[in-house]
Amino acid sequence: METLQATFFLFVFVPLVNPAPPLQQESLQFYEYDTDVSMESLTQQDYEKQSKDIRKDGTNVSLDTSLILQSDDSQLDVPPTKDTNLPTCLLCVCLSGSVYCEEIDIEAVPPLPKETAYLYARFNKIKRIAASDFADITTLRRIDFSGNRIEEIEDGAFSKLLLLEELSLAENRLVKLPVLPPKLTTFNANQNRIKSRGIKANAFKKLTNLAYLYLGHNALESVPLNLPESLRILHLQYNNITSITDDTFCKSNNTRYIRTRMDEIRMEGNPIVLAKHVNAFSCLRMLPVGTYY
């Protein structure tokens, strides 16, 4: 009986004296709570090993290069590059028929989804608009190219855009206007380099829906001819306009003619004295803004 008790006592006592060390548990806690230290240590070991291998092989590789290969953190100093070859809806933002390509330094009009109705490509580096850019995009209703470097617009670039209502080419480098689509209601070409010879005589005549025309801050020597009856707002401020005729806004052969829709004409900043051309405003409900003396 005593022998059995002694044996039982030893059986219980042995595991208490020599417990197994929880090495696996401590190792897991180390990587979980001190990841930065462990990664730095591993990176340093790899770096030292790489340095030894380089010395053994005699290869002329800089230590900085080996560090970049081993540590991901060092690549944070590399400036990101912009890939303009990416698909348009990765490079731009596409949302419910609208494409936003603003301030991404593109130099050409990107390929657009066929259902695009609104294109905003402001403040980029676009220099030229080709006829092929919108050849298959007949659903466009609004285009905004403000703040680019556009110098040339190929003939027929907007000819197939029969639904286009708003077009902005403001703050570019145009010297002449393209042929405009027929249903345009708003056209903005402020702050370009357009001269009178860069606008065809009938450029606006057939635009029977055009209500807002902005041509301020250009180099026009005269008011564009054949302005449509639909026009409500006309901005011509800060050009080089020196004269106007009785037929510029009115009809010299019809003294009863009134432009009922024209609400505003801005001509300040031009070298013309408007008081010398009183008959030119006889059909207007309001006098143009500008210098009268």
Side-chain angles (χ1 to χ4, degrees), residues 74-171:
S74 63
Q75 296 191 22
L76 295 176
D77 297 332
V78 179
T81 57
K82 295 180 179 179
D83 187 356
T84 56
N85 293 321
L86 286 172
T88 300
C89 289
L90 293 179
L91 184 66
C92 307
V93 176
C94 300
L95 181 63
S96 300
S98 297
V99 178
Y100 299 87
C101 298
E102 301 184 328
E103 298 184 88
I104 56 174
D105 293 341
I106 54 176
E107 297 181 0
V109 180
L112 300 173
K114 289 188 177 182
E115 70 276 8
T116 302
Y118 305 96
L119 171 62
Y120 302 93
R122 300 181 298 179
F123 310 113
N124 285 292
K125 298 178 181 179
I126 300 172
K127 296 182 180 180
R128 183 175 182 272
I129 299 177
S132 59
D133 290 336
F134 304 114
D136 300 324
I137 315 297
T138 58
T139 55
L140 278 165
R141 294 181 178 273
R142 180 186 300 165
I143 298 175
D144 194 341
F145 283 125
S146 301
N148 278 274
R149 303 174 183 178
I150 301 171
E151 298 178 349
E152 179 187 359
I153 299 178
E154 193 172 320
D155 292 340
F158 305 119
S159 61
K160 294 184 179 181
L161 304 182
L162 301 181
L163 299 179
L164 192 68
E165 297 177 350
E166 299 180 30
L167 174 61
S168 179
L169 301 171
E171 300 179 54

Side-chain angles (χ1 to χ4, degrees), residues 264-268 274 287-292:
E264 178 182 283
I265 299 176
R266 288 185 58 182
M267 294 187 67
E268 74 273 18
L274 298 178
L287 290 175
V289 177
T291 302
Y292 283 86

Side-chain angles (χ1 to χ4, degrees), residues 17-71:
V17 173
N18 297 310
L23 294 177
Q24 185 176 1
Q25 182 179 0
E26 290 180 358
S27 178
L28 289 172
Q29 291 177 349
F30 175 77
Y31 285 107
E32 182 178 357
Y33 295 106
D34 204 5
T35 306
D36 294 339
V37 176
S38 64
M39 289 300 296
E40 182 179 356
S41 176
L42 291 174
T43 301
Q44 182 65 24
Q45 293 175 10
D46 290 340
Y47 167 65
E48 293 175 356
K49 183 178 182 299
Q50 181 72 15
S51 299
K52 291 178 182 179
D53 294 340
I54 292 171
R55 287 194 294 270
K56 288 180 181 179
D57 297 340
T59 306
N60 186 15
V61 179
S62 67
L63 298 182
D64 291 340
T65 304
S66 63
L67 268 177
I68 291 175
L69 293 173
Q70 297 296 334
S71 175

